[in-house]
Amino acid sequence: MTTQSQPHLLIFIAAQNELKTFCNHSLCHHSLPKENQHRAWSYYGYQPQVSLIHCGIGSFNALACAETMIPTLRASRCLSIGFSGSHRKDLNIGQIILATSTVAFDYHTKTAQNTLEARMQEVQKDGQTHQLVGFESDQHLVKALHKQLSPTVHLTQGVIGSSNQFNRNFEFIQQIRTVFGTDCEDMESAAIAYCAFRHHVPFAALRVISNNELQESTQQGQGFDPIAFQSLNLLGKTFAQLNVCTI
């Protein structure tokens, strides 16, 4: 049983193939709290004081899962790890983004307005005014991750945008980057960041570039390039060797 005095790192991973790629050894499966056993989440022991949370794909799954699991497991730090689509032509498949901040650009903004830690500003898009909800990554956590991981994996710091849809349209991606300053996008990180900020828990995200619609060489369709899986697997192997108490 985790106690409040024990630092407990939660790693949220959305898709089953991301989970298996990041951690390809057997995991100790734990039961969810009784009131949430109907949920499609999974909760695994990864290392002492580290749990992997399979939260499901999309912002709403991530939001519900993180809002429950962060206080239940008394998290001391939270990470969002998985794949992301590039918003920059110069980011190649397999590169890893360490988020300096995350922005939510198309969902649950009314809910997020209730948190004092949200960085709010109005932006213009398609002639309409939108609220941009942004969350800064914890700088101590970002520095610790960079120090621990960079000897083995190359990290690029940047802004992760989160959307509740899978965007692979060239023009729309360019528009998002212009308006929101994003370097890549996923579907979960901003929702998890929101919950972490609500509970005053440090947050950061690590995302592997899996597709880049700004490059002609990128595979089309839902399948990702094997290089992306190799990079996520290397990140997982590196992570498994870390002393998480120093993160």
Side-chain angles (χ1 to χ4, degrees):
M1 178 71 179
T2 302
T3 66
Q4 204 156 7
S5 62
Q6 293 176 315
H8 196 178
L9 171 64
L10 301 189
I11 301 175
F12 289 88
I13 299 181
Q16 190 67 37
N17 65 345
E18 292 173 322
L19 179 67
K20 290 181 177 179
T21 302
F22 180 77
C23 183
N24 56 11
H25 62 266
S26 59
L27 294 166
C28 178
H29 184 271
H30 296 289
S31 297
L32 291 168
K34 185 177 294 185
E35 64 272 18
N36 289 295
Q37 288 180 356
H38 65 288
R39 302 282 193 173
W41 310 329
S42 301
Y43 156 38
Y44 302 92
Y46 178 62
Q47 292 181 23
Q49 301 172 5
V50 184
S51 294
L52 293 182
I53 311 295
H54 177 214
C55 63
I57 297 171
S59 61
F60 297 110
N61 283 327
L63 185 69
C65 182
E67 184 59 30
T68 297
M69 300 305 285
I70 288 173
T72 298
L73 297 180
R74 298 177 181 175
S76 61
R77 292 97 75 221
C78 292
L79 294 177
S80 171
I81 293 180
F83 291 134
S84 65
S86 178
H87 283 190
R88 287 168 40 189
K89 189 172 184 178
D90 62 328
L91 287 178
N92 296 316
I93 293 172
Q95 285 188 244
I96 301 172
I97 304 299
L98 173 58
T100 55
S101 63
T102 60
V103 294
F105 56 83
D106 73 348
Y107 62 85
H108 66 69
T109 55
K110 290 183 179 179
T111 303
Q113 287 174 23
N114 295 327
T115 178
L116 295 176
E117 292 83 1
R119 176 170 53 84
M120 305 293 300
Q121 65 185 68
E122 291 187 346
V123 295
Q124 296 295 319
K125 181 181 177 184
D126 297 333
Q128 298 180 354
T129 299
H130 297 255
Q131 290 283 1
L132 169 65
V133 185
F135 306 93
E136 300 294 332
S137 297
D138 182 82
Q139 291 307 302
H140 294 291
L141 186 53
V142 169
K143 289 179 181 178
L145 287 167
H146 191 274
K147 181 179 179 180
Q148 292 273 0
L149 294 171
S150 58
T152 305
V153 296
H154 177 70
L155 301 175
T156 300
Q157 295 192 19
V159 178
I160 294 178
S162 287
S163 166
N164 200 39
Q165 59 184 337
F166 193 67
N167 297 313
R168 300 193 74 165
N169 178 272
F170 180 91
E171 289 78 13
F172 186 49
I173 289 170
Q174 288 187 312
Q175 186 180 35
I176 293 169
R177 174 162 170 75
T178 299
V179 173
F180 299 103
T182 50
D183 296 289
C184 64
E185 89 174 66
D186 63 18
M187 299 174 68
E188 298 84 23
S189 289
I192 299 166
Y194 164 66
C195 295
F197 277 114
R198 260 181 45 81
H199 293 281
H200 307 287
V201 174
F203 170 85
L206 289 158
R207 289 285 173 161
V208 176
I209 299 298
S210 57
N211 54 287
N212 189 335
E213 310 315 315
L214 309 180
Q215 295 181 354
E216 294 180 359
S217 59
T218 292
Q219 292 184 180
Q220 296 296 318
Q222 293 293 324
F224 293 141
D225 194 298
I227 294 174
F229 287 96
Q230 293 169 11
S231 186
L232 182 58
N233 182 251
L234 176 61
L235 179 61
K237 289 179 178 178
T238 305
F239 220 92
Q241 298 173 4
L242 297 183
N243 177 3
V244 297
C245 292
T246 63
I247 297 178

